[in-house]
Amino acid sequence: MKCLAHRLLRKHKHEKILSIVLLLVICTFALTRPALAADAASGAKIFSANCAACHMGGRNVVAAQKTLKQDDLDKYSMNSAEAIINQVKNGKNAMPAFKGRLSDRQIEDVAAYVLEQAAKSWT
């Protein structure tokens, strides 16, 4: 009887330890996963309201050779979310800065939308 009780207590102790380890793994994952992914659908709306006047369909009405098409994004090293976010926030040449007009989240969403559309050839 003592042996059975000892085994049950030991098993119960192992289950507690396993539960604690599992909880730590889940908490670690929750704390280290990246922030919510950018929302390209939201980015489409923001792009339409703020960027489409100059960049409708991925074109560029000011500098025609610097479109938002994949080849040009690659050519001008603008083919990452970080590069697009920097450009949108700070502007460059004729492009105005949108820092202060758009939130960081909105700018991230626009970058996701631009990259998504470039990958689909703006169709």
Side-chain angles (χ1 to χ4, degrees), residues 68-112:
L68 300 179
K69 309 258 174 147
Q70 192 66 57
D71 289 343
D72 286 338
L73 292 179
D74 294 340
K75 180 178 179 180
Y76 296 106
S77 299
M78 294 298 296
N79 53 356
S80 69
E82 294 79 19
I84 295 169
I85 288 167
N86 183 57
Q87 179 91 7
V88 174
K89 278 186 178 181
N90 301 308
K92 187 174 179 183
N93 300 326
M95 181 170 165
F98 284 86
K99 183 190 225 174
R101 286 198 266 176
L102 297 176
S103 71
D104 287 347
R105 179 60 188 215
Q106 289 174 311
I107 293 171
E108 290 169 12
D109 291 350
V110 167

Side-chain angles (χ1 to χ4, degrees), residues 19 21-22 35 42 44:
S19 295
V21 168
L22 184 59
S42 171

Side-chain angles (χ1 to χ4, degrees), residues 2 9 24-25 42 54 69 79 86 100-101 110 115-116 121:
K2 250 184 174 178
L9 282 175
L24 287 172
V25 168
S42 171
C54 294
K69 309 258 174 147
N79 53 356
N86 183 57
R101 286 198 266 176
V110 167
L115 290 171
E116 180 182 272
S121 298

